[in-house]
Coordinates of all heavy atoms in Angstrom, one line a residue:
G603 N 35.4 -13.3 14.3 CA 34.9 -11.9 14.2 C 35.6 -11.0 15.2 O 36.4 -11.4 16.0
C604 N 35.1 -9.8 15.3 CA 35.5 -8.8 16.2 C 34.4 -8.2 17.0 O 33.3 -8.0 16.5 CB 36.2 -7.7 15.5 SG 37.7 -8.2 14.5
M605 N 34.7 -8.0 18.3 CA 33.7 -7.3 19.2 C 33.9 -5.8 19.2 O 35.1 -5.4 19.4 CB 33.8 -7.8 20.6 CG 33.3 -9.3 20.8 SD 31.5 -9.4 20.5 CE 30.9 -9.0 22.1
V606 N 32.9 -5.0 18.9 CA 33.0 -3.6 19.0 C 31.8 -3.1 19.9 O 30.6 -3.3 19.5 CB 32.9 -2.9 17.6 CG1 32.9 -1.4 17.7 CG2 33.9 -3.5 16.6
N607 N 32.1 -2.7 21.0 CA 31.1 -2.2 22.0 C 30.0 -3.2 22.2 O 28.8 -2.9 22.2 CB 30.6 -0.8 21.6 CG 31.6 0.3 21.7 OD1 32.5 0.2 22.6 ND2 31.5 1.3 20.9
G608 N 30.4 -4.5 22.4 CA 29.4 -5.5 22.7 C 28.7 -6.1 21.5 O 27.9 -7.0 21.7
K609 N 29.0 -5.7 20.3 CA 28.4 -6.3 19.1 C 29.5 -7.0 18.3 O 30.6 -6.5 18.1 CB 27.8 -5.2 18.3 CG 27.0 -5.7 17.1 CD 26.2 -4.7 16.3 CE 25.6 -5.3 15.1 NZ 24.8 -4.3 14.3
L610 N 29.1 -8.2 17.9 CA 30.1 -9.0 17.1 C 29.9 -8.7 15.6 O 28.8 -8.8 15.1 CB 29.8 -10.5 17.4 CG 30.7 -11.5 16.7 CD1 32.2 -11.3 17.1 CD2 30.3 -12.9 16.9
Y611 N 31.1 -8.4 15.0 CA 31.1 -8.2 13.5 C 31.9 -9.3 12.9 O 32.9 -9.7 13.5 CB 31.7 -6.8 13.2 CG 30.9 -5.6 13.7 CD1 31.0 -5.1 14.9 CD2 29.9 -5.1 12.8 CE1 30.2 -4.0 15.3 CE2 29.1 -4.0 13.2 CZ 29.3 -3.5 14.4 OH 28.5 -2.4 14.8
P612 N 31.6 -9.6 11.6 CA 32.4 -10.7 10.9 C 33.8 -10.1 10.5 O 33.9 -8.9 10.4 CB 31.6 -11.0 9.7 CG 30.7 -9.8 9.5 CD 30.5 -9.2 10.8
F613 N 34.7 -11.0 10.2 CA 36.0 -10.5 9.7 C 35.8 -9.8 8.3 O 34.8 -10.1 7.6 CB 36.9 -11.8 9.4 CG 37.5 -12.4 10.7 CD1 37.2 -13.7 11.0 CD2 38.3 -11.6 11.5 CE1 37.7 -14.3 12.1 CE2 38.7 -12.2 12.7 CZ 38.5 -13.5 13.0
G614 N 36.6 -8.8 8.1 CA 36.5 -8.0 6.9 C 36.3 -6.6 7.1 O 36.5 -6.1 8.3
H615 N 35.8 -5.9 6.1 CA 35.6 -4.4 6.2 C 34.2 -4.2 6.9 O 33.2 -4.8 6.5 CB 35.6 -3.8 4.9 CG 35.4 -2.3 4.9 ND1 36.2 -1.4 5.4 CD2 34.3 -1.6 4.5 CE1 35.7 -0.2 5.3 NE2 34.5 -0.3 4.7
I616 N 34.2 -3.3 7.9 CA 32.9 -2.9 8.5 C 32.7 -1.5 8.0 O 33.4 -0.5 8.4 CB 33.0 -3.0 10.0 CG1 33.4 -4.4 10.5 CG2 31.7 -2.5 10.7 CD1 33.9 -4.4 11.9
E617 N 31.7 -1.3 7.2 CA 31.4 0.0 6.6 C 31.0 1.1 7.7 O 31.5 2.2 7.6 CB 30.2 -0.1 5.7 CG 29.9 1.1 4.9 CD 30.9 1.4 3.8 OE1 31.5 0.4 3.2 OE2 31.1 2.6 3.5
R618 N 30.2 0.7 8.7 CA 29.8 1.6 9.7 C 29.3 0.9 10.9 O 28.4 0.1 10.8 CB 28.7 2.5 9.2 CG 28.1 3.5 10.2 CD 27.0 4.3 9.6 NE 26.2 4.9 10.7 CZ 25.3 5.8 10.5 NH1 24.9 6.1 9.2 NH2 24.6 6.3 11.5
T619 N 29.9 1.1 12.1 CA 29.5 0.5 13.3 C 28.3 1.4 13.9 O 28.1 2.5 13.4 CB 30.6 0.5 14.4 OG1 30.9 1.8 14.8 CG2 31.8 -0.3 13.9
Q620 N 27.6 0.9 14.9 CA 26.6 1.7 15.5 C 27.1 2.9 16.2 O 26.3 3.8 16.5 CB 25.7 0.8 16.4 CG 26.5 0.2 17.5 CD 25.6 -0.9 18.2 OE1 24.8 -1.5 17.6 NE2 25.9 -1.0 19.5
D621 N 28.4 3.0 16.4 CA 29.0 4.2 17.1 C 29.7 5.1 16.1 O 30.5 5.9 16.4 CB 30.0 3.8 18.2 CG 29.3 3.1 19.3 OD1 28.1 3.4 19.6 OD2 29.9 2.2 20.0
C622 N 29.4 4.9 14.8 CA 29.9 5.8 13.7 C 31.4 5.6 13.5 O 32.1 6.6 13.4 CB 29.5 7.2 14.0 SG 27.7 7.5 13.9
Y623 N 31.9 4.4 13.4 CA 33.3 4.1 13.0 C 33.3 3.2 11.8 O 32.3 2.4 11.6 CB 34.1 3.5 14.1 CG 34.4 4.4 15.3 CD1 33.5 4.7 16.3 CD2 35.6 5.1 15.3 CE1 33.8 5.6 17.3 CE2 35.9 6.0 16.3 CZ 35.0 6.2 17.3 OH 35.3 7.1 18.3
T624 N 34.3 3.3 11.0 CA 34.5 2.3 9.9 C 35.7 1.5 10.4 O 36.7 2.0 10.9 CB 34.8 3.0 8.6 OG1 34.9 1.9 7.6 CG2 36.0 3.9 8.5
C625 N 35.7 0.2 10.2 CA 36.7 -0.7 10.8 C 37.1 -1.8 9.8 O 36.4 -2.1 8.9 CB 36.2 -1.4 12.1 SG 35.6 -0.3 13.4
S626 N 38.3 -2.3 10.2 CA 38.8 -3.5 9.5 C 39.0 -4.5 10.5 O 39.8 -4.4 11.5 CB 40.2 -3.1 8.8 OG 40.7 -4.3 8.3
C627 N 38.3 -5.6 10.4 CA 38.3 -6.7 11.4 C 39.1 -7.9 10.8 O 38.7 -8.4 9.8 CB 36.9 -7.2 11.7 SG 36.8 -8.6 12.7
R628 N 40.3 -8.1 11.4 CA 41.1 -9.2 10.9 C 41.5 -10.1 12.1 O 41.3 -9.8 13.3 CB 42.4 -8.7 10.3 CG 42.1 -7.7 9.1 CD 43.3 -7.3 8.4 NE 44.4 -7.0 9.2 CZ 45.5 -6.3 8.8 NH1 45.5 -5.8 7.6 NH2 46.5 -6.1 9.6
E629 N 42.0 -11.3 11.8 CA 42.4 -12.2 12.9 C 43.5 -11.6 13.8 O 43.5 -12.0 15.0 CB 42.9 -13.5 12.3 CG 41.8 -14.3 11.6 CD 42.3 -15.7 11.1 OE1 43.3 -16.2 11.6 OE2 41.6 -16.2 10.2
D630 N 44.3 -10.7 13.3 CA 45.3 -10.1 14.1 C 44.9 -8.9 14.9 O 45.7 -8.2 15.6 CB 46.6 -9.8 13.3 CG 46.4 -8.8 12.3 OD1 45.3 -8.5 11.9 OD2 47.4 -8.2 11.8
G631 N 43.6 -8.5 14.7 CA 43.1 -7.4 15.5 C 42.1 -6.5 14.7 O 41.7 -6.8 13.6
L632 N 41.7 -5.4 15.4 CA 40.7 -4.5 14.9 C 41.3 -3.1 14.7 O 42.0 -2.7 15.6 CB 39.5 -4.5 15.9 CG 38.4 -3.6 15.6 CD1 37.6 -4.2 14.4 CD2 37.5 -3.5 16.8
R633 N 41.1 -2.5 13.6 CA 41.5 -1.1 13.4 C 40.3 -0.3 12.9 O 39.6 -0.7 12.0 CB 42.6 -1.1 12.3 CG 43.9 -1.7 12.8 CD 45.0 -1.7 11.7 NE 46.2 -2.3 12.2 CZ 46.5 -3.6 12.2 NH1 45.6 -4.4 11.8 NH2 47.6 -4.0 12.6
C634 N 40.1 0.8 13.6 CA 38.9 1.6 13.3 C 39.3 3.1 13.1 O 40.3 3.6 13.7 CB 37.9 1.5 14.4 SG 37.2 -0.1 14.7
C635 N 38.5 3.8 12.3 CA 38.6 5.3 12.2 C 37.2 5.9 12.3 O 36.2 5.3 11.9 CB 39.1 5.6 10.8 SG 40.8 5.1 10.5
S636 N 37.2 7.1 12.9 CA 35.9 7.7 13.0 C 35.3 8.2 11.7 O 36.1 8.6 10.8 CB 35.9 8.9 14.0 OG 36.7 9.9 13.5
L637 N 34.0 8.3 11.6 CA 33.4 8.8 10.4 C 33.0 10.2 10.5 O 32.4 10.8 9.7 CB 32.1 8.0 10.1 CG 32.4 6.5 9.6 CD1 31.0 5.8 9.6 CD2 33.0 6.5 8.3
F638 N 33.4 10.8 11.7 CA 33.0 12.2 12.0 C 34.2 13.1 12.3 O 35.3 12.5 12.6 CB 32.0 12.2 13.1 CG 32.5 11.5 14.3 CD1 33.3 12.0 15.3 CD2 32.1 10.1 14.5 CE1 33.7 11.3 16.4 CE2 32.6 9.4 15.6 CZ 33.3 10.0 16.5
H639 N 34.1 14.4 12.2 CA 35.1 15.3 12.5 C 34.6 16.3 13.5 O 33.5 16.9 13.3 CB 35.6 16.1 11.2 CG 36.1 15.2 10.2 ND1 37.4 14.7 10.2 CD2 35.6 14.7 9.1 CE1 37.6 13.9 9.2 NE2 36.5 13.9 8.4
T640 N 35.3 16.5 14.6 CA 34.9 17.3 15.7 C 35.0 18.8 15.3 O 36.1 19.3 15.0 CB 35.7 17.0 17.0 OG1 35.6 15.6 17.2 CG2 35.1 17.8 18.1
P641 N 33.9 19.6 15.4 CA 34.0 21.0 15.2 C 34.8 21.7 16.3 O 34.6 21.4 17.5 CB 32.6 21.5 15.2 CG 31.8 20.4 15.6 CD 32.6 19.2 15.7
V642 N 35.8 22.6 16.0 CA 36.5 23.3 16.9 C 36.5 24.8 16.7 O 36.7 25.6 17.6 CB 38.0 22.9 17.0 CG1 38.1 21.4 17.5 CG2 38.7 23.0 15.6
G643 N 36.2 25.2 15.5 CA 36.1 26.6 15.1 C 34.7 27.1 14.9 O 34.2 26.9 13.8
Y644 N 34.1 27.6 15.9 CA 32.7 28.1 15.8 C 32.5 29.1 17.0 O 33.3 29.1 17.9 CB 31.7 27.0 15.8 CG 31.7 26.2 17.1 CD1 30.8 26.5 18.1 CD2 32.5 25.1 17.2 CE1 30.8 25.7 19.3 CE2 32.5 24.4 18.4 CZ 31.7 24.7 19.4 OH 31.7 23.9 20.5
D645 N 31.4 29.9 17.0 CA 31.1 30.8 18.0 C 30.6 30.0 19.3 O 29.5 29.7 19.3 CB 30.1 31.8 17.6 CG 29.8 32.9 18.6 OD1 30.1 32.7 19.8 OD2 29.4 34.0 18.2
K646 N 31.5 29.8 20.2 CA 31.2 29.0 21.4 C 30.2 29.7 22.4 O 29.6 29.0 23.2 CB 32.5 28.5 22.1 CG 33.3 27.6 21.3 CD 34.6 27.2 21.9 CE 35.3 26.1 21.2 NZ 35.8 26.6 19.9
N647 N 30.1 31.0 22.2 CA 29.2 31.7 23.1 C 27.7 31.6 22.6 O 26.8 31.5 23.4 CB 29.5 33.2 23.2 CG 30.9 33.4 23.9 OD1 31.2 32.8 24.9 ND2 31.7 34.3 23.3
K648 N 27.5 31.6 21.3 CA 26.2 31.5 20.7 C 25.8 30.1 20.3 O 24.6 29.9 20.1 CB 26.1 32.4 19.5 CG 26.3 33.9 19.9 CD 26.1 34.7 18.6 CE 26.4 36.2 18.9 NZ 26.3 37.0 17.7
C649 N 26.7 29.2 20.1 CA 26.4 27.9 19.5 C 26.8 26.7 20.4 O 27.7 26.9 21.3 CB 27.1 27.8 18.2 SG 26.8 29.2 17.1
K650 N 26.2 25.6 20.1 CA 26.6 24.4 20.8 C 26.7 23.2 19.8 O 26.1 23.3 18.7 CB 25.5 24.0 21.9 CG 24.1 23.7 21.3 CD 23.2 23.4 22.4 CE 21.8 23.1 21.9 NZ 20.8 22.7 22.9
V651 N 27.4 22.2 20.2 CA 27.6 21.0 19.4 C 26.7 19.9 19.8 O 26.6 19.6 21.0 CB 29.1 20.6 19.5 CG1 29.4 19.3 18.7 CG2 30.0 21.7 19.0
V652 N 26.1 19.3 18.8 CA 25.2 18.1 19.1 C 25.5 17.0 18.1 O 25.7 17.3 16.9 CB 23.7 18.6 18.8 CG1 22.8 17.4 19.1 CG2 23.3 19.7 19.7
F653 N 25.7 15.8 18.6 CA 26.1 14.7 17.7 C 24.8 14.2 17.0 O 23.8 13.9 17.7 CB 26.8 13.6 18.5 CG 27.4 12.5 17.6 CD1 28.5 12.8 16.8 CD2 26.8 11.3 17.5 CE1 29.0 11.9 16.0 CE2 27.3 10.3 16.6 CZ 28.5 10.6 15.9
N654 N 24.9 14.0 15.7 CA 23.8 13.5 14.9 C 24.2 12.1 14.5 O 24.9 11.9 13.6 CB 23.7 14.4 13.7 CG 22.5 14.0 12.8 OD1 22.2 12.8 12.7 ND2 21.9 15.0 12.2
R655 N 23.6 11.1 15.2 CA 24.0 9.7 15.0 C 23.5 9.2 13.7 O 24.1 8.3 13.1 CB 23.4 8.9 16.2 CG 23.9 7.5 16.2 CD 23.5 6.7 17.4 NE 24.0 7.2 18.6 CZ 25.2 6.9 19.1 NH1 26.0 6.1 18.4 NH2 25.6 7.4 20.2
K656 N 22.4 9.8 13.1 CA 21.9 9.4 11.8 C 22.9 9.7 10.7 O 23.1 8.9 9.8 CB 20.6 10.0 11.6 CG 19.9 9.6 10.3 CD 18.5 10.2 10.2 CE 17.8 9.7 8.9 NZ 16.5 10.3 8.8
R657 N 23.5 10.9 10.8 CA 24.5 11.3 9.8 C 25.9 11.0 10.2 O 26.9 11.2 9.4 CB 24.4 12.8 9.6 CG 23.2 13.3 8.9 CD 23.2 14.8 8.5 NE 23.7 15.7 9.5 CZ 24.9 16.3 9.3 NH1 25.6 16.2 8.3 NH2 25.3 17.1 10.3
C658 N 26.2 10.5 11.4 CA 27.5 10.3 11.9 C 28.4 11.5 11.8 O 29.5 11.5 11.3 CB 28.2 9.1 11.2 SG 27.6 7.5 11.8
D659 N 27.8 12.6 12.3 CA 28.6 13.9 12.3 C 28.0 14.8 13.3 O 26.9 14.5 13.9 CB 28.5 14.5 10.9 CG 29.7 15.5 10.6 OD1 30.5 15.6 11.5 OD2 29.7 16.1 9.5
Y660 N 28.7 15.9 13.6 CA 28.3 16.8 14.6 C 27.5 18.0 13.9 O 27.9 18.4 12.8 CB 29.5 17.4 15.3 CG 30.1 16.5 16.3 CD1 31.3 15.8 16.0 CD2 29.6 16.3 17.6 CE1 31.9 15.0 16.9 CE2 30.1 15.5 18.5 CZ 31.3 14.8 18.2 OH 31.9 13.9 19.1
D661 N 26.4 18.4 14.5 CA 25.7 19.6 14.1 C 26.1 20.7 15.0 O 26.2 20.4 16.2 CB 24.2 19.4 14.1 CG 23.7 18.3 13.1 OD1 24.3 18.2 12.0 OD2 22.7 17.7 13.4
V662 N 26.3 21.9 14.5 CA 26.6 23.0 15.4 C 25.4 23.9 15.2 O 25.1 24.4 14.1 CB 27.9 23.7 15.0 CG1 28.2 24.9 15.9 CG2 29.1 22.7 15.1
V663 N 24.7 24.2 16.3 CA 23.4 24.9 16.2 C 23.4 26.0 17.3 O 24.2 26.0 18.2 CB 22.2 24.0 16.5 CG1 22.1 22.9 15.4 CG2 22.3 23.3 17.9
Q664 N 22.5 27.0 17.1 CA 22.4 28.1 18.0 C 21.8 27.6 19.3 O 20.9 26.8 19.3 CB 21.5 29.2 17.4 CG 22.1 29.9 16.2 CD 21.2 31.0 15.7 OE1 20.2 31.4 16.3 NE2 21.6 31.5 14.5
K665 N 22.4 28.1 20.4 CA 21.9 27.7 21.7 C 20.5 28.1 22.0 O 19.7 27.3 22.5 CB 22.8 28.3 22.8 CG 24.2 27.7 22.9 CD 25.0 28.4 24.0 CE 26.4 27.8 24.1 NZ 27.2 28.5 25.1
D666 N 20.1 29.3 21.6 CA 18.8 29.8 21.8 C 17.7 29.4 20.8 O 16.5 29.5 21.0 CB 18.8 31.3 22.0 CG 19.3 32.0 20.7 OD1 19.8 31.4 19.8 OD2 19.2 33.3 20.7
D667 N 18.2 28.8 19.7 CA 17.3 28.3 18.6 C 18.0 27.1 17.9 O 18.6 27.3 16.8 CB 16.9 29.4 17.7 CG 15.8 28.9 16.7 OD1 15.5 27.7 16.7 OD2 15.4 29.7 15.9
P668 N 17.9 25.9 18.4 CA 18.6 24.8 17.8 C 18.2 24.4 16.4 O 18.8 23.6 15.8 CB 18.3 23.6 18.8 CG 17.9 24.3 20.1 CD 17.3 25.6 19.7
S669 N 17.1 25.0 15.9 CA 16.7 24.8 14.5 C 17.6 25.5 13.5 O 17.5 25.2 12.3 CB 15.2 25.1 14.3 OG 15.1 26.6 14.4
K670 N 18.4 26.4 14.0 CA 19.3 27.2 13.2 C 20.7 26.8 13.3 O 21.2 26.7 14.5 CB 19.2 28.7 13.5 CG 17.8 29.3 13.2 CD 17.8 30.8 13.5 CE 16.4 31.3 13.2 NZ 16.3 32.7 13.6
E671 N 21.4 26.5 12.2 CA 22.8 26.1 12.2 C 23.7 27.2 12.4 O 23.4 28.4 12.0 CB 23.1 25.3 10.9 CG 22.5 24.0 10.8 CD 22.9 23.2 9.6 OE1 24.1 23.4 9.2 OE2 22.1 22.4 9.1
C672 N 24.9 27.0 12.9 CA 25.9 28.0 13.0 C 27.0 27.7 12.0 O 27.2 26.5 11.6 CB 26.6 27.9 14.4 SG 25.4 28.4 15.7
F673 N 27.8 28.7 11.7 CA 28.9 28.6 10.7 C 30.1 27.9 11.5 O 30.4 28.3 12.6 CB 29.3 29.9 10.2 CG 30.5 29.9 9.3 CD1 30.4 29.3 8.0 CD2 31.7 30.3 9.7 CE1 31.5 29.2 7.2 CE2 32.8 30.2 8.9 CZ 32.7 29.7 7.6
V674 N 30.6 26.9 10.9 CA 31.8 26.2 11.4 C 33.0 26.4 10.5 O 32.9 26.1 9.3 CB 31.5 24.7 11.6 CG1 32.8 24.0 12.1 CG2 30.4 24.4 12.5
F675 N 34.1 27.0 11.0 CA 35.2 27.3 10.1 C 36.4 26.3 10.3 O 37.3 26.4 9.5 CB 35.6 28.8 10.2 CG 35.9 29.3 11.6 CD1 37.1 29.2 12.2 CD2 34.8 29.9 12.3 CE1 37.3 29.6 13.5 CE2 35.0 30.4 13.6 CZ 36.3 30.3 14.2
S676 N 36.3 25.4 11.2 CA 37.3 24.4 11.3 C 36.9 23.2 12.1 O 36.1 23.3 13.0 CB 38.6 24.9 11.8 OG 38.5 25.3 13.2
R677 N 37.3 22.0 11.6 CA 37.0 20.7 12.3 C 38.3 19.9 12.4 O 39.2 20.1 11.6 CB 36.0 19.9 11.5 CG 34.6 20.5 11.5 CD 33.7 19.7 10.6 NE 32.4 20.3 10.5 CZ 31.3 19.9 11.2 NH1 31.4 18.9 12.0 NH2 30.1 20.5 11.1
V678 N 38.4 19.0 13.4 CA 39.5 18.1 13.5 C 39.1 16.7 13.5 O 37.9 16.4 13.9 CB 40.4 18.4 14.7 CG1 41.1 19.7 14.6 CG2 39.6 18.3 16.0

């Protein structure tokens, strides 16, 4: 198997690790891709980025009222 951040996964496809990656575990190594995209285009003065581990994605919310989402116009 393959070790990912201290957790052993069996050989094969790993749908989702606890750190929000999808991986391929093979005898010749481990290859992973993130399941999330980092927001880069949003109002940085009014909004902040918070990682949502349940959804494996970033939420962009208002700094003064985190219950309200902000518009994001680009992610990488």
Side-chain angles (χ1 to χ4, degrees):
C604 300
M605 288 292 275
V606 180
N607 292 330
K609 185 172 178 183
L610 181 63
Y611 291 90
F613 288 119
H615 178 71
I616 303 166
E617 189 71 31
R618 174 181 163 176
T619 67
Q620 59 193 30
D621 293 329
C622 295
Y623 287 85
T624 183
C625 301
S626 175
C627 173
R628 301 187 323 199
E629 289 184 25
D630 65 343
L632 179 70
R633 291 179 179 82
C634 297
C635 293
S636 66
L637 292 170
F638 51 89
H639 299 282
T640 306
V642 292
Y644 61 94
D645 186 337
K646 292 177 177 66
N647 294 320
K648 294 181 183 177
C649 305
K650 66 180 179 178
V651 175
V652 180
F653 191 70
N654 183 326
R655 191 172 294 276
K656 186 176 180 180
R657 292 189 316 112
C658 281
D659 204 359
Y660 288 100
D661 294 330
V662 182
V663 296
Q664 292 181 10
K665 289 179 181 178
D666 58 354
D667 186 355
S669 68
K670 295 182 181 174
E671 290 187 31
C672 293
F673 178 72
V674 178
F675 51 88
S676 64
R677 293 178 183 257
V678 293

